[in-house]
PDB file of all heavy atoms in Angstrom:
ATOM      1  N   GLY A   1      10.972 -15.425 -13.673  1.00  0.00           N
ATOM      2  CA  GLY A   1      10.054 -16.237 -14.452  1.00  0.00           C
ATOM      3  C   GLY A   1       8.846 -16.751 -13.704  1.00  0.00           C
ATOM      4  O   GLY A   1       7.909 -17.290 -14.304  1.00  0.00           O
ATOM      5  N   ASN A   2       8.826 -16.588 -12.386  1.00  0.00           N
ATOM      6  CA  ASN A   2       7.694 -17.044 -11.574  1.00  0.00           C
ATOM      7  C   ASN A   2       6.692 -15.896 -11.408  1.00  0.00           C
ATOM      8  O   ASN A   2       6.885 -15.006 -10.594  1.00  0.00           O
ATOM      9  CB  ASN A   2       8.190 -17.524 -10.206  1.00  0.00           C
ATOM     10  CG  ASN A   2       7.050 -18.036  -9.323  1.00  0.00           C
ATOM     11  OD1 ASN A   2       5.909 -18.167  -9.776  1.00  0.00           O
ATOM     12  ND2 ASN A   2       7.369 -18.302  -8.076  1.00  0.00           N
ATOM     13  N   LYS A   3       5.629 -15.920 -12.213  1.00  0.00           N
ATOM     14  CA  LYS A   3       4.672 -14.814 -12.193  1.00  0.00           C
ATOM     15  C   LYS A   3       3.341 -15.198 -11.542  1.00  0.00           C
ATOM     16  O   LYS A   3       2.307 -14.572 -11.777  1.00  0.00           O
ATOM     17  CB  LYS A   3       4.427 -14.317 -13.617  1.00  0.00           C
ATOM     18  CG  LYS A   3       5.682 -13.747 -14.265  1.00  0.00           C
ATOM     19  CD  LYS A   3       5.377 -13.145 -15.619  1.00  0.00           C
ATOM     20  CE  LYS A   3       6.633 -12.531 -16.236  1.00  0.00           C
ATOM     21  NZ  LYS A   3       6.370 -11.898 -17.543  1.00  0.00           N
ATOM     22  N   GLU A   4       3.372 -16.198 -10.689  1.00  0.00           N
ATOM     23  CA  GLU A   4       2.145 -16.650 -10.028  1.00  0.00           C
ATOM     24  C   GLU A   4       1.761 -15.760  -8.848  1.00  0.00           C
ATOM     25  O   GLU A   4       0.586 -15.595  -8.549  1.00  0.00           O
ATOM     26  CB  GLU A   4       2.312 -18.102  -9.551  1.00  0.00           C
ATOM     27  CG  GLU A   4       2.463 -19.094 -10.688  1.00  0.00           C
ATOM     28  CD  GLU A   4       2.600 -20.514 -10.179  1.00  0.00           C
ATOM     29  OE1 GLU A   4       2.548 -20.692  -8.932  1.00  0.00           O
ATOM     30  OE2 GLU A   4       2.746 -21.429 -10.999  1.00  0.00           O
ATOM     31  N   LYS A   5       2.756 -15.221  -8.165  1.00  0.00           N
ATOM     32  CA  LYS A   5       2.473 -14.408  -6.981  1.00  0.00           C
ATOM     33  C   LYS A   5       1.978 -13.011  -7.373  1.00  0.00           C
ATOM     34  O   LYS A   5       2.625 -12.329  -8.174  1.00  0.00           O
ATOM     35  CB  LYS A   5       3.718 -14.273  -6.104  1.00  0.00           C
ATOM     36  CG  LYS A   5       4.149 -15.573  -5.433  1.00  0.00           C
ATOM     37  CD  LYS A   5       5.332 -15.325  -4.505  1.00  0.00           C
ATOM     38  CE  LYS A   5       5.730 -16.618  -3.800  1.00  0.00           C
ATOM     39  NZ  LYS A   5       6.889 -16.396  -2.887  1.00  0.00           N
ATOM     40  N   PRO A   6       0.859 -12.578  -6.818  1.00  0.00           N
ATOM     41  CA  PRO A   6       0.355 -11.218  -7.127  1.00  0.00           C
ATOM     42  C   PRO A   6       1.006 -10.170  -6.215  1.00  0.00           C
ATOM     43  O   PRO A   6       1.490 -10.486  -5.126  1.00  0.00           O
ATOM     44  CB  PRO A   6      -1.141 -11.341  -6.836  1.00  0.00           C
ATOM     45  CG  PRO A   6      -1.208 -12.340  -5.713  1.00  0.00           C
ATOM     46  CD  PRO A   6      -0.099 -13.338  -5.999  1.00  0.00           C
ATOM     47  N   TYR A   7       0.996  -8.948  -6.672  1.00  0.00           N
ATOM     48  CA  TYR A   7       1.483  -7.849  -5.843  1.00  0.00           C
ATOM     49  C   TYR A   7       0.435  -7.509  -4.780  1.00  0.00           C
ATOM     50  O   TYR A   7      -0.772  -7.669  -5.003  1.00  0.00           O
ATOM     51  CB  TYR A   7       1.746  -6.600  -6.689  1.00  0.00           C
ATOM     52  CG  TYR A   7       2.984  -6.690  -7.544  1.00  0.00           C
ATOM     53  CD1 TYR A   7       2.878  -6.931  -8.914  1.00  0.00           C
ATOM     54  CD2 TYR A   7       4.246  -6.528  -6.990  1.00  0.00           C
ATOM     55  CE1 TYR A   7       4.012  -7.006  -9.717  1.00  0.00           C
ATOM     56  CE2 TYR A   7       5.385  -6.599  -7.780  1.00  0.00           C
ATOM     57  CZ  TYR A   7       5.262  -6.838  -9.141  1.00  0.00           C
ATOM     58  OH  TYR A   7       6.385  -6.917  -9.918  1.00  0.00           O
ATOM     59  N   ARG A   8       0.906  -7.047  -3.639  1.00  0.00           N
ATOM     60  CA  ARG A   8      -0.007  -6.587  -2.598  1.00  0.00           C
ATOM     61  C   ARG A   8      -0.338  -5.116  -2.821  1.00  0.00           C
ATOM     62  O   ARG A   8       0.534  -4.331  -3.210  1.00  0.00           O
ATOM     63  CB  ARG A   8       0.621  -6.745  -1.203  1.00  0.00           C
ATOM     64  CG  ARG A   8       0.770  -8.180  -0.751  1.00  0.00           C
ATOM     65  CD  ARG A   8       1.234  -8.233   0.693  1.00  0.00           C
ATOM     66  NE  ARG A   8       1.399  -9.611   1.152  1.00  0.00           N
ATOM     67  CZ  ARG A   8       1.793  -9.936   2.378  1.00  0.00           C
ATOM     68  NH1 ARG A   8       2.064  -8.982   3.270  1.00  0.00           N
ATOM     69  NH2 ARG A   8       1.929 -11.200   2.722  1.00  0.00           N
ATOM     70  N   ARG A   9      -1.559  -4.760  -2.551  1.00  0.00           N
ATOM     71  CA  ARG A   9      -1.949  -3.346  -2.618  1.00  0.00           C
ATOM     72  C   ARG A   9      -1.487  -2.678  -1.333  1.00  0.00           C
ATOM     73  O   ARG A   9      -1.930  -3.036  -0.238  1.00  0.00           O
ATOM     74  CB  ARG A   9      -3.461  -3.216  -2.785  1.00  0.00           C
ATOM     75  CG  ARG A   9      -3.909  -1.791  -2.956  1.00  0.00           C
ATOM     76  CD  ARG A   9      -5.420  -1.710  -3.063  1.00  0.00           C
ATOM     77  NE  ARG A   9      -5.861  -0.332  -3.144  1.00  0.00           N
ATOM     78  CZ  ARG A   9      -7.130   0.047  -3.068  1.00  0.00           C
ATOM     79  NH1 ARG A   9      -8.080  -0.876  -2.932  1.00  0.00           N
ATOM     80  NH2 ARG A   9      -7.457   1.320  -3.142  1.00  0.00           N
ATOM     81  N   ILE A  10      -0.603  -1.705  -1.445  1.00  0.00           N
ATOM     82  CA  ILE A  10       0.014  -1.111  -0.254  1.00  0.00           C
ATOM     83  C   ILE A  10      -0.935  -0.144   0.455  1.00  0.00           C
ATOM     84  O   ILE A  10      -1.142  -0.232   1.659  1.00  0.00           O
ATOM     85  CB  ILE A  10       1.332  -0.399  -0.625  1.00  0.00           C
ATOM     86  CG1 ILE A  10       2.352  -1.442  -1.104  1.00  0.00           C
ATOM     87  CG2 ILE A  10       1.885   0.374   0.576  1.00  0.00           C
ATOM     88  CD1 ILE A  10       3.684  -0.866  -1.507  1.00  0.00           C
ATOM     89  N   ILE A  11      -1.532   0.791  -0.296  1.00  0.00           N
ATOM     90  CA  ILE A  11      -2.446   1.763   0.326  1.00  0.00           C
ATOM     91  C   ILE A  11      -3.858   1.191   0.222  1.00  0.00           C
ATOM     92  O   ILE A  11      -4.591   1.461  -0.737  1.00  0.00           O
ATOM     93  CB  ILE A  11      -2.357   3.145  -0.360  1.00  0.00           C
ATOM     94  CG1 ILE A  11      -0.902   3.590  -0.454  1.00  0.00           C
ATOM     95  CG2 ILE A  11      -3.185   4.173   0.409  1.00  0.00           C
ATOM     96  CD1 ILE A  11      -0.180   3.664   0.885  1.00  0.00           C
ATOM     97  N   CYS A  12      -4.227   0.388   1.229  1.00  0.00           N
ATOM     98  CA  CYS A  12      -5.476  -0.377   1.135  1.00  0.00           C
ATOM     99  C   CYS A  12      -6.523   0.026   2.174  1.00  0.00           C
ATOM    100  O   CYS A  12      -7.598  -0.569   2.229  1.00  0.00           O
ATOM    101  CB  CYS A  12      -5.172  -1.867   1.268  1.00  0.00           C
ATOM    102  SG  CYS A  12      -4.294  -2.305   2.771  1.00  0.00           S
ATOM    103  N   ASN A  13      -6.233   1.032   3.003  1.00  0.00           N
ATOM    104  CA  ASN A  13      -7.235   1.503   3.961  1.00  0.00           C
ATOM    105  C   ASN A  13      -6.981   2.964   4.314  1.00  0.00           C
ATOM    106  O   ASN A  13      -5.960   3.553   3.924  1.00  0.00           O
ATOM    107  CB  ASN A  13      -7.254   0.619   5.228  1.00  0.00           C
ATOM    108  CG  ASN A  13      -5.913   0.589   5.944  1.00  0.00           C
ATOM    109  OD1 ASN A  13      -5.323   1.632   6.224  1.00  0.00           O
ATOM    110  ND2 ASN A  13      -5.430  -0.612   6.252  1.00  0.00           N
ATOM    111  N   GLY A  14      -7.906   3.546   5.074  1.00  0.00           N
ATOM    112  CA  GLY A  14      -7.836   4.968   5.390  1.00  0.00           C
ATOM    113  C   GLY A  14      -6.616   5.360   6.205  1.00  0.00           C
ATOM    114  O   GLY A  14      -6.022   6.428   5.981  1.00  0.00           O
ATOM    115  N   TYR A  15      -6.216   4.529   7.150  1.00  0.00           N
ATOM    116  CA  TYR A  15      -5.069   4.875   7.992  1.00  0.00           C
ATOM    117  C   TYR A  15      -3.758   4.836   7.203  1.00  0.00           C
ATOM    118  O   TYR A  15      -2.852   5.643   7.450  1.00  0.00           O
ATOM    119  CB  TYR A  15      -5.003   3.959   9.212  1.00  0.00           C
ATOM    120  CG  TYR A  15      -5.897   4.440  10.337  1.00  0.00           C
ATOM    121  CD1 TYR A  15      -7.094   3.799  10.617  1.00  0.00           C
ATOM    122  CD2 TYR A  15      -5.548   5.552  11.099  1.00  0.00           C
ATOM    123  CE1 TYR A  15      -7.928   4.248  11.633  1.00  0.00           C
ATOM    124  CE2 TYR A  15      -6.371   6.011  12.116  1.00  0.00           C
ATOM    125  CZ  TYR A  15      -7.561   5.355  12.380  1.00  0.00           C
ATOM    126  OH  TYR A  15      -8.377   5.819  13.388  1.00  0.00           O
ATOM    127  N   ARG A  16      -3.651   3.908   6.270  1.00  0.00           N
ATOM    128  CA  ARG A  16      -2.436   3.894   5.433  1.00  0.00           C
ATOM    129  C   ARG A  16      -2.368   5.152   4.566  1.00  0.00           C
ATOM    130  O   ARG A  16      -1.296   5.724   4.376  1.00  0.00           O
ATOM    131  CB  ARG A  16      -2.401   2.632   4.569  1.00  0.00           C
ATOM    132  CG  ARG A  16      -2.178   1.360   5.361  1.00  0.00           C
ATOM    133  CD  ARG A  16      -1.760   0.215   4.461  1.00  0.00           C
ATOM    134  NE  ARG A  16      -1.593  -1.024   5.216  1.00  0.00           N
ATOM    135  CZ  ARG A  16      -1.017  -2.115   4.741  1.00  0.00           C
ATOM    136  NH1 ARG A  16      -0.571  -2.132   3.497  1.00  0.00           N
ATOM    137  NH2 ARG A  16      -0.904  -3.188   5.489  1.00  0.00           N
ATOM    138  N   LYS A  17      -3.521   5.562   4.039  1.00  0.00           N
ATOM    139  CA  LYS A  17      -3.552   6.797   3.243  1.00  0.00           C
ATOM    140  C   LYS A  17      -3.208   7.983   4.131  1.00  0.00           C
ATOM    141  O   LYS A  17      -2.472   8.896   3.717  1.00  0.00           O
ATOM    142  CB  LYS A  17      -4.964   6.964   2.650  1.00  0.00           C
ATOM    143  CG  LYS A  17      -5.144   8.222   1.790  1.00  0.00           C
ATOM    144  CD  LYS A  17      -4.418   8.134   0.471  1.00  0.00           C
ATOM    145  CE  LYS A  17      -4.707   9.355  -0.410  1.00  0.00           C
ATOM    146  NZ  LYS A  17      -6.104   9.415  -0.877  1.00  0.00           N
ATOM    147  N   PHE A  18      -3.696   7.981   5.373  1.00  0.00           N
ATOM    148  CA  PHE A  18      -3.407   9.040   6.340  1.00  0.00           C
ATOM    149  C   PHE A  18      -1.895   9.140   6.554  1.00  0.00           C
ATOM    150  O   PHE A  18      -1.309  10.231   6.555  1.00  0.00           O
ATOM    151  CB  PHE A  18      -4.122   8.728   7.656  1.00  0.00           C
ATOM    152  CG  PHE A  18      -4.312   9.909   8.574  1.00  0.00           C
ATOM    153  CD1 PHE A  18      -5.183   9.815   9.654  1.00  0.00           C
ATOM    154  CD2 PHE A  18      -3.619  11.098   8.394  1.00  0.00           C
ATOM    155  CE1 PHE A  18      -5.381  10.885  10.516  1.00  0.00           C
ATOM    156  CE2 PHE A  18      -3.793  12.184   9.251  1.00  0.00           C
ATOM    157  CZ  PHE A  18      -4.676  12.069  10.318  1.00  0.00           C
ATOM    158  N   VAL A  19      -1.240   7.997   6.735  1.00  0.00           N
ATOM    159  CA  VAL A  19       0.214   7.962   6.933  1.00  0.00           C
ATOM    160  C   VAL A  19       0.933   8.592   5.744  1.00  0.00           C
ATOM    161  O   VAL A  19       1.825   9.441   5.918  1.00  0.00           O
ATOM    162  CB  VAL A  19       0.708   6.512   7.132  1.00  0.00           C
ATOM    163  CG1 VAL A  19       2.240   6.461   7.100  1.00  0.00           C
ATOM    164  CG2 VAL A  19       0.201   5.945   8.448  1.00  0.00           C
ATOM    165  N   MET A  20       0.553   8.218   4.551  1.00  0.00           N
ATOM    166  CA  MET A  20       1.215   8.735   3.351  1.00  0.00           C
ATOM    167  C   MET A  20       0.971  10.228   3.168  1.00  0.00           C
ATOM    168  O   MET A  20       1.860  10.972   2.740  1.00  0.00           O
ATOM    169  CB  MET A  20       0.726   7.967   2.116  1.00  0.00           C
ATOM    170  CG  MET A  20       1.114   6.491   2.108  1.00  0.00           C
ATOM    171  SD  MET A  20       2.882   6.211   2.319  1.00  0.00           S
ATOM    172  CE  MET A  20       3.544   7.062   0.882  1.00  0.00           C
ATOM    173  N   LEU A  21      -0.249  10.678   3.516  1.00  0.00           N
ATOM    174  CA  LEU A  21      -0.550  12.109   3.411  1.00  0.00           C
ATOM    175  C   LEU A  21       0.337  12.922   4.358  1.00  0.00           C
ATOM    176  O   LEU A  21       0.854  13.983   3.978  1.00  0.00           O
ATOM    177  CB  LEU A  21      -2.026  12.353   3.739  1.00  0.00           C
ATOM    178  CG  LEU A  21      -3.052  11.853   2.716  1.00  0.00           C
ATOM    179  CD1 LEU A  21      -4.465  11.965   3.285  1.00  0.00           C
ATOM    180  CD2 LEU A  21      -2.945  12.613   1.405  1.00  0.00           C
ATOM    181  N   VAL A  22       0.514  12.428   5.572  1.00  0.00           N
ATOM    182  CA  VAL A  22       1.359  13.135   6.546  1.00  0.00           C
ATOM    183  C   VAL A  22       2.809  13.169   6.067  1.00  0.00           C
ATOM    184  O   VAL A  22       3.497  14.195   6.204  1.00  0.00           O
ATOM    185  CB  VAL A  22       1.256  12.473   7.935  1.00  0.00           C
ATOM    186  CG1 VAL A  22       2.308  13.043   8.888  1.00  0.00           C
ATOM    187  CG2 VAL A  22      -0.142  12.676   8.528  1.00  0.00           C
ATOM    188  N   ILE A  23       3.279  12.067   5.492  1.00  0.00           N
ATOM    189  CA  ILE A  23       4.653  12.033   4.970  1.00  0.00           C
ATOM    190  C   ILE A  23       4.827  13.063   3.858  1.00  0.00           C
ATOM    191  O   ILE A  23       5.809  13.810   3.832  1.00  0.00           O
ATOM    192  CB  ILE A  23       4.993  10.622   4.449  1.00  0.00           C
ATOM    193  CG1 ILE A  23       5.092   9.642   5.613  1.00  0.00           C
ATOM    194  CG2 ILE A  23       6.307  10.635   3.659  1.00  0.00           C
ATOM    195  CD1 ILE A  23       5.254   8.202   5.191  1.00  0.00           C
ATOM    196  N   VAL A  24       3.853  13.119   2.950  1.00  0.00           N
ATOM    197  CA  VAL A  24       3.918  14.085   1.842  1.00  0.00           C
ATOM    198  C   VAL A  24       3.907  15.515   2.384  1.00  0.00           C
ATOM    199  O   VAL A  24       4.651  16.380   1.904  1.00  0.00           O
ATOM    200  CB  VAL A  24       2.749  13.861   0.862  1.00  0.00           C
ATOM    201  CG1 VAL A  24       2.676  14.998  -0.161  1.00  0.00           C
ATOM    202  CG2 VAL A  24       2.905  12.531   0.147  1.00  0.00           C
ATOM    203  N   SER A  25       3.085  15.795   3.389  1.00  0.00           N
ATOM    204  CA  SER A  25       3.031  17.137   3.974  1.00  0.00           C
ATOM    205  C   SER A  25       4.335  17.505   4.670  1.00  0.00           C
ATOM    206  O   SER A  25       4.735  18.677   4.695  1.00  0.00           O
ATOM    207  CB  SER A  25       1.883  17.220   4.992  1.00  0.00           C
ATOM    208  OG  SER A  25       0.623  17.178   4.367  1.00  0.00           O
TER     209      SER A  25
END
């Protein structure tokens, strides 16, 4: 019932995207 806290954006910069791309590959 506590909906005040927002979610964090996980893929928020180039290096994080790089990490995810390597994992997918």
Side-chain angles (χ1 to χ4, degrees):
N2 181 8
K3 297 185 178 182
E4 294 181 1
K5 292 184 178 180
Y7 286 103
R8 290 187 181 180
R9 184 182 176 189
I10 294 180
I11 309 303
C12 56
N13 59 51
Y15 276 105
R16 291 196 182 192
K17 180 71 175 292
F18 200 166
V19 170
M20 295 306 299
L21 290 171
V22 170
I23 291 173
V24 171
S25 290

